[in-house]
Protein backbone atom coordinates (compact mmCIF):
# COMPACT_ATOMS: atom_id res chain seq x y z
CA UNK A 1 0.00 0.00 0.00
CA UNK A 2 1.21 3.51 -0.87
CA UNK A 3 0.02 6.20 1.55
CA UNK A 4 0.02 9.87 0.51
CA UNK A 5 -0.74 12.64 2.99
CA UNK A 6 -2.24 15.66 1.24
CA UNK A 7 -2.84 18.93 3.03
CA UNK A 8 -3.10 22.69 2.62
CA UNK A 9 -1.50 24.82 5.30
CA UNK A 10 -1.08 28.53 5.90
CA UNK A 11 2.38 30.07 5.57
CA UNK A 12 2.80 29.46 9.32
CA UNK A 13 1.84 25.78 9.06
CA UNK A 14 -1.76 25.87 10.31
CA UNK A 15 -4.55 23.69 8.92
CA UNK A 16 -7.32 25.94 10.25
CA UNK A 17 -7.99 28.54 12.94
CA UNK A 18 -8.01 27.91 16.69
CA UNK A 19 -11.79 27.57 16.36
CA UNK A 20 -11.20 24.56 14.06
CA UNK A 21 -13.20 26.28 11.35
CA UNK A 22 -12.47 25.41 7.72
CA UNK A 23 -10.52 28.15 5.95
CA UNK A 24 -10.00 28.47 2.19
CA UNK A 25 -6.21 28.34 1.93
CA UNK A 26 -5.74 27.23 -1.68
CA UNK A 27 -7.38 28.23 -4.96
CA UNK A 28 -8.92 26.65 -8.05
CA UNK A 29 -5.70 25.16 -9.44
CA UNK A 30 -4.99 23.34 -6.18
CA UNK A 31 -8.62 22.23 -5.84
CA UNK A 32 -8.28 20.60 -9.28
CA UNK A 33 -5.00 18.94 -8.23
CA UNK A 34 -6.64 17.50 -5.11
CA UNK A 35 -9.54 16.20 -7.21
CA UNK A 36 -7.09 14.41 -9.52
CA UNK A 37 -5.27 12.89 -6.56
CA UNK A 38 -8.56 11.62 -5.15
CA UNK A 39 -9.41 10.12 -8.53
CA UNK A 40 -6.04 8.35 -8.61
CA UNK A 41 -6.59 6.86 -5.13
CA UNK A 42 -8.42 3.76 -3.99
CA UNK A 43 -9.43 5.33 -0.68
CA UNK A 44 -9.52 8.74 0.98
CA UNK A 45 -8.91 8.80 4.75
CA UNK A 46 -9.77 11.37 7.43
CA UNK A 47 -10.00 11.43 11.19
CA UNK A 48 -13.31 11.81 12.96
CA UNK A 49 -12.32 15.33 14.05
CA UNK A 50 -12.36 16.40 10.42
CA UNK A 51 -15.78 14.80 9.95
CA UNK A 52 -17.33 16.55 12.95
CA UNK A 53 -15.71 19.92 12.15
CA UNK A 54 -16.19 20.08 8.36
CA UNK A 55 -18.68 17.33 7.41
CA UNK A 56 -16.75 16.61 4.17
CA UNK A 57 -18.16 14.55 1.30
CA UNK A 58 -14.71 13.43 0.06
CA UNK A 59 -15.82 12.59 -3.46
CA UNK A 60 -14.28 13.29 -6.86
CA UNK A 61 -16.04 16.36 -8.27
CA UNK A 62 -14.96 16.21 -11.93
CA UNK A 63 -17.29 13.88 -13.85
CA UNK A 64 -14.57 13.25 -16.47
CA UNK A 65 -12.29 11.89 -13.75
CA UNK A 66 -15.12 9.66 -12.51
CA UNK A 67 -15.56 8.33 -16.03
CA UNK A 68 -11.83 7.62 -16.31
CA UNK A 69 -12.08 5.57 -13.12
CA UNK A 70 -14.96 3.55 -14.62
CA UNK A 71 -13.00 3.00 -17.84
CA UNK A 72 -10.13 1.41 -15.92
CA UNK A 73 -12.54 -0.88 -14.07
CA UNK A 74 -12.78 1.02 -10.76
CA UNK A 75 -15.87 2.39 -9.02
CA UNK A 76 -16.68 5.97 -10.01
CA UNK A 77 -15.66 7.13 -6.55
CA UNK A 78 -12.82 6.01 -4.27
CA UNK A 79 -13.74 4.50 -0.93
CA UNK A 80 -13.94 6.85 2.05
CA UNK A 81 -12.44 5.96 5.43
CA UNK A 82 -13.01 7.53 8.86
CA UNK A 83 -10.63 6.76 11.72
CA UNK A 84 -12.88 7.02 14.77
CA UNK A 85 -11.73 5.20 17.91
CA UNK A 86 -14.94 5.72 19.92
CA UNK A 87 -17.42 5.47 17.05
CA UNK A 88 -18.80 8.99 17.35
CA UNK A 89 -19.20 9.69 13.63
CA UNK A 90 -22.69 11.23 13.20
CA UNK A 91 -24.98 8.82 11.36
CA UNK A 92 -26.17 11.69 9.16
CA UNK A 93 -22.65 12.73 8.13
CA UNK A 94 -22.12 13.40 4.42
CA UNK A 95 -19.35 10.80 4.34
CA UNK A 96 -21.90 8.07 5.16
CA UNK A 97 -24.14 8.69 2.15
CA UNK A 98 -24.37 6.22 -0.72
CA UNK A 99 -22.09 8.11 -3.12
CA UNK A 100 -19.25 5.69 -2.39
CA UNK A 101 -18.22 2.81 -0.15
CA UNK A 102 -17.35 4.02 3.34
CA UNK A 103 -15.34 2.36 6.10
CA UNK A 104 -15.43 3.51 9.73
CA UNK A 105 -12.44 2.21 11.71
CA UNK A 106 -13.16 1.95 15.43
CA UNK A 107 -11.47 0.44 18.48
CA UNK A 108 -12.86 -1.99 21.04
CA UNK A 109 -14.04 0.91 23.21
CA UNK A 110 -16.69 1.90 20.67
CA UNK A 111 -19.98 0.69 22.09
CA UNK A 112 -21.91 -2.09 20.43
CA UNK A 113 -24.82 0.32 19.90
CA UNK A 114 -22.64 2.81 18.04
CA UNK A 115 -21.08 0.06 15.94
CA UNK A 116 -24.49 -1.27 14.95
CA UNK A 117 -25.77 2.20 13.98
CA UNK A 118 -22.68 2.90 11.89
CA UNK A 119 -22.88 -0.55 10.28
CA UNK A 120 -26.24 0.46 8.77
CA UNK A 121 -24.41 3.08 6.68
CA UNK A 122 -20.81 1.83 6.41
CA UNK A 123 -18.43 -1.09 6.78
CA UNK A 124 -17.18 -1.04 10.37
CA UNK A 125 -13.59 -2.16 10.91
CA UNK A 126 -12.66 -2.96 14.53
CA UNK A 127 -8.92 -2.69 15.23
CA UNK A 128 -7.20 -1.92 18.51
CA UNK A 129 -8.32 -1.66 22.12
CA UNK A 130 -8.48 2.01 23.23
CA UNK A 131 -7.38 3.60 19.95
CA UNK A 132 -7.58 2.38 16.38
CA UNK A 133 -4.61 0.19 15.52
CA UNK A 134 -3.76 1.97 12.29
CA UNK A 135 -1.46 -0.77 10.99
CA UNK A 136 -4.16 -3.42 11.43
CA UNK A 137 -6.85 -1.16 9.95
CA UNK A 138 -4.72 -0.32 6.90
CA UNK A 139 -3.87 -4.00 6.45
CA UNK A 140 -7.60 -4.67 6.20
CA UNK A 141 -8.05 -1.87 3.67
CA UNK A 142 -5.20 -3.28 1.62
CA UNK A 143 -6.80 -6.74 1.74
CA UNK A 144 -9.94 -5.13 0.30
CA UNK A 145 -7.95 -3.82 -2.67
CA UNK A 146 -6.81 -0.38 -1.52
CA UNK A 147 -3.35 0.02 -3.05
CA UNK A 148 -3.06 3.83 -3.03
CA UNK A 149 -4.51 5.69 -0.06
CA UNK A 150 -4.85 9.46 0.25
CA UNK A 151 -4.97 10.97 3.75
CA UNK A 152 -6.65 14.37 4.06
CA UNK A 153 -6.26 15.04 7.78
CA UNK A 154 -6.45 16.15 10.38
CA UNK A 155 -3.24 16.80 12.25
CA UNK A 156 -3.78 14.18 14.97
CA UNK A 157 -4.32 11.42 12.41
CA UNK A 158 -1.39 12.54 10.27
CA UNK A 159 0.95 12.47 13.26
CA UNK A 160 -0.29 9.02 14.29
CA UNK A 161 0.22 7.64 10.79
CA UNK A 162 3.75 9.06 10.58
CA UNK A 163 4.51 7.69 14.05
CA UNK A 164 3.30 4.25 12.93
CA UNK A 165 5.57 4.37 9.88
CA UNK A 166 2.66 4.19 7.44
CA UNK A 167 3.21 7.37 5.40
CA UNK A 168 5.18 7.17 2.14
CA UNK A 169 4.92 10.77 0.96
CA UNK A 170 3.51 14.19 1.80
CA UNK A 171 2.08 16.67 -0.67
CA UNK A 172 1.60 20.01 1.05
CA UNK A 173 0.22 23.19 -0.48
CA UNK A 174 1.50 26.18 1.50
CA UNK A 175 -0.82 29.12 0.93
CA UNK A 176 -0.44 32.90 1.26
CA UNK A 177 -2.23 33.26 4.60
CA UNK A 178 -1.13 33.73 8.20
CA UNK A 179 -3.48 32.18 10.77
CA UNK A 180 -1.50 32.04 14.02
CA UNK A 181 -2.72 30.78 17.37
CA UNK A 182 -0.98 28.35 19.70
CA UNK A 183 -4.11 26.18 19.70
CA UNK A 184 -4.65 26.15 15.93
CA UNK A 185 -4.12 22.68 14.41
CA UNK A 186 -0.94 22.04 12.47
CA UNK A 187 0.02 19.49 9.84
CA UNK A 188 1.18 17.00 12.47
CA UNK A 189 -0.25 17.45 15.96
CA UNK A 190 -0.48 14.59 18.46
CA UNK A 191 2.20 14.24 21.14
CA UNK A 192 5.03 15.25 18.82
CA UNK A 193 8.46 13.72 18.39
CA UNK A 194 11.28 14.39 20.86
CA UNK A 195 13.84 12.10 19.21
CA UNK A 196 14.21 10.01 16.06
CA UNK A 197 12.55 12.73 14.02
CA UNK A 198 11.26 11.41 10.69
CA UNK A 199 13.34 12.65 7.75
CA UNK A 200 11.86 13.84 4.48
CA UNK A 201 13.45 14.04 1.04
CA UNK A 202 12.21 16.90 -1.12
CA UNK A 203 11.11 15.48 -4.47
CA UNK A 204 9.61 18.56 -6.09
CA UNK A 205 8.60 22.18 -5.56
CA UNK A 206 6.03 23.92 -7.74
CA UNK A 207 4.22 27.25 -7.69
CA UNK A 208 0.45 26.74 -7.64
CA UNK A 209 -1.99 29.65 -7.49
CA UNK A 210 -0.34 32.14 -5.08
CA UNK A 211 1.31 29.43 -3.01
CA UNK A 212 3.73 26.58 -3.38
CA UNK A 213 3.23 22.82 -3.60
CA UNK A 214 5.88 20.76 -1.84
CA UNK A 215 6.26 17.02 -2.35
CA UNK A 216 8.33 15.08 0.16
CA UNK A 217 9.08 11.37 0.35
CA UNK A 218 9.40 9.90 3.84
CA UNK A 219 12.83 8.34 4.23
CA UNK A 220 13.26 4.98 5.95
Amino acid sequence: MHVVVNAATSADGKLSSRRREQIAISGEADFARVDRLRADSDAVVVGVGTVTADDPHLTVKDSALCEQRRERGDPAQPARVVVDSSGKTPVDAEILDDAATTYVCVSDRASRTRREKLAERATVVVAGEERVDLTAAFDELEADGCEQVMVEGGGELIFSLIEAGLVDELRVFVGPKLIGGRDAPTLADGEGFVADFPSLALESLERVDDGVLLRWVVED
Side-chain angles (χ1 to χ4, degrees):
M1 177 188 286
H2 188 78
V3 178
V4 180
V5 168
N6 183 81
T9 74
S10 61
D12 54 335
K14 306 296 186 180
L15 295 177
S16 66
S17 73
R18 59 185 172 83
R19 295 179 178 176
R20 308 273 166 164
E21 297 168 336
Q22 191 174 30
I23 294 173
I25 294 173
S26 57
E28 291 301 321
D30 194 58
F31 293 155
R33 177 192 66 82
V34 172
D35 210 35
R36 291 192 298 273
L37 182 54
R38 283 182 184 170
D40 288 340
S41 302
D42 299 305
V44 181
V45 184
V46 292
V48 68
T50 298
V51 173
T52 56
D54 302 335
D55 196 21
H57 202 204
L58 297 185
T59 53
V60 176
K61 305 301 188 290
D62 188 334
S63 59
L65 292 174
C66 294
E67 183 57 32
Q68 288 174 16
R69 287 180 56 86
R70 292 190 191 95
E71 288 174 356
R72 64 177 187 249
D74 292 331
Q77 296 288 346
R80 301 167 297 184
V81 182
V82 184
V83 177
D84 178 7
S85 294
S86 61
K88 64 182 181 181
T89 299
V91 293
D92 60 350
E94 287 283 343
I95 203 168
L96 297 182
D97 69 9
D98 59 3
T101 299
T102 303
Y103 297 84
V104 180
C105 302
V106 303
S107 70
D108 286 335
R109 71 183 172 95
S111 71
R112 182 174 298 277
T113 300
R114 288 300 303 165
R115 294 186 212 179
E116 290 174 350
K117 286 185 177 298
L118 291 169
E120 295 175 2
R121 309 287 303 278
T123 298
V124 176
V125 175
V126 182
E129 296 181 1
E130 290 298 313
R131 299 181 61 190
V132 172
D133 181 328
L134 292 168
T135 299
F138 274 43
D139 282 347
E140 187 152 342
L141 293 175
E142 186 172 26
D144 277 359
C146 295
E147 296 180 359
Q148 173 157 307
V149 172
M150 174 187 183
V151 179
E152 294 203 30
E156 295 280 343
L157 174 61
I158 292 171
F159 172 80
S160 296
L161 288 167
I162 294 171
E163 184 181 39
L166 294 172
V167 176
D168 296 293
E169 64 174 287
L170 291 87
R171 301 184 190 184
V172 182
F173 174 84
V174 181
K177 279 187 172 64
L178 289 171
I179 295 175
R182 65 178 61 88
D183 296 323
T186 65
L187 179 67
D189 285 335
E191 294 182 2
F193 297 102
V194 294
D196 299 323
F197 303 102
S199 295
L200 308 176
L202 183 64
E203 289 290 299
S204 63
L205 184 154
E206 174 187 358
R207 179 167 182 165
V208 178
D209 295 319
D210 288 325
V212 61
L213 176 66
L214 303 168
R215 178 172 173 250
W216 285 290
V217 170
V218 180
E219 297 183 322
D220 294 334

